[in-house]
């Protein structure tokens, strides 16, 4: 694809993600955490840091993949890196394919490392990229991990999408075997099934980000970019983030599960941790804050977001992430029905 077209597409994604952002109504509302009246810990005794196989997050939150490859994207990435640094949280960049094809696009990614030299940074590529380019994508940012996005619905709805999927799994395996950092297999808002998680586990992947339905909706975004806008019937495609975490739980396999997709407040984030995620990614929420209120406000807001996760942990009498996993909850009848039907299958 032409570089200028790619850059236009990046800007369209940013604008459409902002325009279609909705602050309410996700499956998180269908999960009720059980309140206990007599906590036995104080807030200053809580430590929600999370130790994964390859790195430790000071807080169980990260800014998830969004952008790169245009001037607007460069400014956004610079500001996201400043937020990540100020809040001491990891950050992923958006797909680096543009920089792998056009050196002029590199700055929109390298700025992230420039702004945050010691931060945990994830690079991002698609599942069709060769392993040498995957390593280049890592080197560009001195990345600590590589997210490989799996976005089949997006590619199929996108007018100019790349719809050759047959080698994705073998290619992911090849990338994993040749690169210098861990791989995170990441959805883009359509969620994951137990079968998908098992499939990537079988080829040696240690991390998934289930990124489920409920927030940024790439079926809707790509449909808006179609001349006839004729595929809105797929707008509810995929598993929600809560359903995806249920899928991971049903599988009960030994893999690091990260959650993202529709997380819009600290309670949603805590619910992800209760349902088994080890950390929680935010994209649309941060982008919206940044666009509406600017950098300083977004830094304050993200610090508050994290602080409020600690408040909820205190309410739940959880002094660490593993305590959260033992918290009791109830599902709404339709969510419980999802569990029952998926347990039988
Ligand atoms: C994304 N997302 C994304 N993911 C990815 O792996 N590579 C990418 O290049 C992009 N690009 C992108 C652009 C924009 C503008 C947004 C908002 C998002 C998907 C993102 O990482 C996440 O999976 C979904 O957005 C769902 O999370 P939220 O937005 O509901 O928190």
């Amino acid at each position: 694809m032409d570089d200028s077209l790619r850059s236009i597409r990046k800007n369209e994604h940013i604008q459409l993600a902002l325009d279609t952002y909705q602050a309410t109504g996700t499956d998180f509302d269908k999960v009720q955490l059980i309140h206990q009246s007599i906590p036995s810990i104080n807030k200053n005794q809580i430590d929600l840091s999370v130790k994964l196989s390859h790195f430790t997050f000071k807080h169980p939150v990260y800014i998830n993949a969004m952008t790169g490859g245009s001037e607007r994207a460069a400014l956004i990435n610079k500001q996201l890196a400043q937020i990540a640094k100020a809040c001491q949280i990891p950050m992923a960049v958006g797909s680096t394919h543009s920089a792998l094809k056009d050196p002029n696009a590199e700055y929109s990614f390298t700025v992230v490392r420039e702004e945050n030299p010691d931060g945990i940074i994830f690079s991002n590529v698609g599942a069709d990229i060769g392993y040498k380019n995957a390593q280049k994508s890592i080197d560009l940012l001195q990345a600590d991990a590589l997210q490989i996005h799996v976005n089949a619905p997006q590619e199929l709805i996108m007018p100019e999408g790349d719809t050759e999927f047959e080698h994705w799994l073998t290619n992911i395996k090849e990338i994993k075997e040749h690169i210098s950092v861990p791989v995170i297999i990441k959805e883009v808002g359509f969620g994951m099934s137990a079968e998908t998680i098992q499939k990537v586990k079988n080829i040696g992947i240690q991390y998934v980000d289930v990124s489920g339905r409920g927030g940024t909706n790439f079926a809707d975004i790509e449909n808006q970019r179609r001349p006839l806008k004729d595929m809105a019937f797929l707008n509810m495609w995929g598993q929600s983030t809560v359903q995806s975490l249920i899928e991971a739980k049903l599988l009960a396999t030994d893999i690091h599960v990260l959650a993202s997709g529709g997380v819009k407040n600290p309670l949603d984030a805590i619910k992800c941790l209760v349902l088994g995620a080890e950390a929680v990614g935010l994209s649309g929420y941060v982008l919206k804050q940044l666009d509406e209120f600017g950098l300083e406000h977004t830094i304050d807001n993200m610090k508050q977001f994290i602080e409020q996760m600690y408040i909820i942990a205190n309410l739940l009498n959880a002094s660490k992430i593993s305590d959260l996993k033992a918290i009791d909850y109830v599902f709404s009848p339709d969510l419980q029905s999802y569990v029952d039907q998926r347990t039988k299958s």
Side-chain angles (χ1 to χ4, degrees):
M1 193 200 311
D2 187 283
D3 291 337
S4 62
L5 286 181
R6 196 183 300 272
S7 161
I8 290 168
R9 182 171 80 193
K10 295 293 163 188
N11 290 341
E12 284 177 354
H13 281 165
I14 293 165
Q15 199 52 51
L16 284 165
L18 287 166
D19 294 346
T20 57
Y21 184 83
Q22 287 177 349
T24 53
T26 63
D27 271 4
F28 292 114
D29 302 336
K30 299 178 183 173
V31 181
Q32 182 184 346
L33 305 180
I34 302 302
H35 170 64
Q36 309 291 351
S37 304
I38 309 180
S40 59
I41 54 165
N42 305 331
K43 190 156 142 282
N44 64 5
Q45 293 168 324
I46 299 171
D47 175 3
L48 296 183
S49 63
V50 53
K51 197 170 177 349
L52 302 170
S53 300
H54 300 83
F55 19 64
T56 298
F57 297 176
K58 186 171 165 54
H59 306 293
V61 178
Y62 56 98
I63 298 174
N64 217 350
M66 277 186 269
T67 201
S70 73
E71 247 176 69
R72 184 174 184 190
L75 177 62
I76 291 173
N77 269 348
K78 181 175 180 171
Q79 293 182 322
L80 293 175
Q82 289 168 341
I83 297 164
K85 185 177 179 188
C87 299
Q88 301 182 64
I89 56 176
M91 169 184 167
V93 295
S95 171
T96 53
H97 288 204
S98 54
L100 296 171
K101 295 194 168 107
D102 172 16
N104 291 325
E106 285 181 8
Y107 172 74
S108 63
F109 298 97
T110 53
V111 65
V112 169
R113 182 52 87 194
E114 269 173 43
E115 289 296 326
N116 193 7
D118 303 321
I120 298 177
I121 295 174
F122 303 151
S123 198
N124 185 294
V125 292
D128 58 340
I129 200 121
Y131 67 84
K132 288 187 182 146
N133 270 333
Q135 185 63 50
K136 273 190 200 160
S137 165
I138 295 159
D139 295 342
L140 189 67
L141 293 158
Q142 299 135 55
D144 300 279
L146 180 69
Q147 291 183 330
I148 302 181
H149 62 260
V150 286
N151 63 339
Q154 179 183 11
E155 297 291 350
L156 286 161
I157 301 169
M158 184 189 305
E160 72 282 22
D162 179 353
T163 56
E164 287 181 17
F165 306 119
E166 64 180 326
H167 301 302
W168 270 16
L169 192 65
T170 46
N171 197 49
I172 290 171
K173 184 166 184 279
E174 195 168 67
I175 295 174
K176 193 228 164 253
E177 283 165 0
H178 285 89
I179 63 168
S180 58
V181 295
V183 167
I184 302 168
I185 299 299
K186 171 183 178 299
E187 251 292 350
V188 300
F190 298 101
M192 280 190 193
S193 66
E195 293 84 351
T196 299
I197 299 170
Q198 184 65 59
K199 217 179 228 184
V200 298
K201 162 88 180 154
N202 289 347
I203 57 165
I205 298 295
Q206 290 171 278
Y207 297 87
V208 289
D209 178 339
V210 297
S211 204
R213 176 170 50 74
T216 304
N217 184 336
F218 272 100
D220 189 15
I221 289 174
E222 298 302 350
N223 186 52
Q224 303 284 338
R225 297 180 63 242
R226 291 175 73 83
L228 295 179
K229 305 188 184 354
D230 54 339
M231 291 190 76
F233 55 86
L234 286 178
N235 279 3
M236 289 298 284
W237 188 263
Q239 283 82 251
S240 69
T241 302
V242 169
Q243 288 169 342
S244 302
L245 289 170
I246 290 169
E247 294 279 332
K249 249 182 183 312
L250 290 175
L251 185 64
T253 193
D254 179 20
I255 192 164
H256 292 294
V257 176
L258 311 175
S260 65
V263 175
K264 291 164 183 145
N265 61 55
L267 183 55
D268 292 347
I270 288 286
K271 285 178 181 176
C272 288
L273 301 176
V274 169
L275 292 173
E278 288 175 283
V280 181
L282 303 169
S283 293
Y285 176 84
V286 187
L287 186 65
K288 192 74 181 169
Q289 289 283 325
L290 195 53
D291 185 67
E292 280 197 358
F293 306 112
L295 179 62
E296 292 310 318
H297 169 99
T298 308
I299 290 175
D300 290 346
N301 179 278
M302 281 309 300
K303 283 185 177 168
Q304 217 171 64
F305 188 111
I306 294 164
E307 165 75 10
Q308 288 168 358
M309 287 179 71
Y310 281 71
I311 289 175
I312 301 166
N314 202 167
L315 259 178
L316 293 168
N317 208 35
S319 67
K320 51 190 182 305
I321 298 272
S322 57
D323 294 343
L324 285 170
K325 293 192 197 325
I327 296 298
D328 268 349
Y329 53 83
V330 290
F331 287 154
S332 69
D334 69 319
L335 206 50
Q336 186 56 42
S337 167
Y338 181 93
V339 177
D340 296 343
Q341 293 180 54
R342 287 295 286 163
T343 310
K344 274 188 220 130
S345 65

